[in-house]
Amino acid sequence: MVEREPTEQKEITRGDHSPRISSYPGIPRWLKLSAIVAIILILLFGILHLTANHNMGPGMHMPSTAQGTAQP
Amino acid sequence: MKLGLRKLVLTVHLTSSVGWIGAVIAYLSLVVAAMTKQDAQTLRFAWFAMEQTGWSVIAPLALASFVSGLVISVGTRWGLFQHYWVLLSLVLTLFATVVLFLHLPTVNTYASLAAETPSASIGGLGGELFHAGVGLLVLIVIQLLNVYKPHGLTPYGWRKQQEHRITRVEYGHS
């Protein structure tokens, strides 16, 4: 959904019109926060997966009969 | 990209992306129905419907959303690798599409098993709830990124913007 064109990032100008290379502003805060939330969620899932004894591993992709546990 | 073509691709992208979310919600309702009813007939029907929805609706919508997103990013000044939100949308859409196509054969297996087995407990519904639930969450995150378009240029995007600015100033002086 990219219906509008991007606007240039704001920059403090020196008053003249000479071209200059300004320094990269760095990774935005929203991306850092999102990365932290994503890491926490992945860690939580990993911990739950390791501690709980539920079928969420690679075996979850196979029917139980295919894993050798025949159903009645 | 010309305005008419851009609007056409945008229409395809919007329709397929929103349709994908709707189809996943419908898929989730089938999973929940199968989990709550727990009788063999409902289970058989639910797995059949999940298989059909997966291959006939969700998979084509996912591909259409991914391809139209690629085209519209490359064809406009947003670019594919210049803005973090575009890049993150691409990565998440690719992730959701790959997981979908890796998971659908499992749905086939369960659907075949449900059709052959009179038992009401063949398992697998927990995995479906997990996959569809996480998938829906990822799709909602992508939608939020597309609507809010948070600021932030990648180093490549920043370099391109600087080059564009310099070129514009040089042309302005000449």
Side-chain angles (χ1 to χ4, degrees):
Chain A
M1 252 192 291
V2 283
E3 64 276 12
R4 59 178 160 83
E5 289 288 297
T7 52
E8 286 191 1
Q9 296 256 319
K10 284 179 183 166
E11 180 188 35
I12 299 163
T13 54
R14 294 182 298 181
D16 58 11
H17 296 286
S18 60
R20 66 194 178 92
I21 302 293
S22 48
S23 59
Y24 176 64
I27 297 168
R29 193 187 296 167
W30 68 265
L31 191 62
K32 288 178 189 169
L33 286 171
S34 305
I36 291 167
V37 170
I39 289 166
I40 289 170
L41 285 175
I42 291 166
L43 283 175
L44 269 175
F45 171 73
I47 291 163
L48 282 172
H49 173 60
L50 287 173
T51 53
N53 190 23
H54 51 77
N55 186 21
M56 293 293 275
M60 72 191 282
H61 295 284
M62 297 300 289
S64 49
T65 48
Q67 294 171 62
T69 51
Q71 294 293 313
Chain B
M1 191 188 287
K2 285 181 180 172
L3 185 66
L5 182 63
R6 199 176 74 196
K7 287 198 171 183
L8 178 68
V9 180
L10 182 64
T11 306
V12 172
H13 187 59
L14 284 170
T15 309
S16 53
S17 303
V18 175
W20 188 1
I21 292 177
V24 172
I25 292 170
Y27 191 94
L28 266 173
S29 79
L30 288 169
V31 177
V32 172
M35 285 177 112
T36 49
K37 300 276 192 234
Q38 285 292 335
D39 65 277
Q41 199 178 356
T42 307
L43 202 65
R44 205 163 30 243
F45 171 74
W47 277 112
F48 172 75
M50 283 191 271
E51 186 185 28
Q52 288 300 308
T53 311
W55 285 110
S56 311
V57 183
I58 300 178
L61 285 173
L63 282 177
S65 174
F66 179 67
V67 173
S68 59
L70 270 181
V71 171
I72 209 158
S73 301
V74 173
T76 61
R77 275 184 58 203
W78 284 104
L80 197 54
F81 303 107
Q82 296 187 36
H83 295 262
Y84 277 116
W85 76 265
V86 178
L87 189 60
L88 194 56
S89 292
L90 169 77
V91 170
L92 289 175
T93 307
L94 185 65
F95 171 74
T97 308
V98 168
V99 171
L100 172 71
F101 277 92
L102 286 176
H103 181 69
L104 280 176
T106 310
V107 181
N108 280 0
T109 312
Y110 275 113
S112 305
L113 200 65
E116 292 161 6
T117 314
S119 167
S121 56
I122 59 159
L125 288 170
E128 291 311 303
L129 189 68
F130 174 77
H131 278 96
V134 173
L136 183 62
L137 190 70
V138 169
L139 294 180
I140 288 170
V141 169
I142 296 169
Q143 281 296 79
L144 285 171
L145 283 170
N146 280 259
V147 171
Y148 283 91
K149 298 179 176 52
H151 280 288
L153 288 165
T154 62
Y156 169 73
W158 182 255
R159 211 165 44 245
K160 291 281 281 185
Q161 196 185 79
Q162 295 299 313
E163 285 168 11
H164 177 69
R165 183 175 285 141
I166 290 167
T167 311
R168 210 175 50 186
V169 170
E170 280 171 353
Y171 273 105
H173 279 288
S174 60

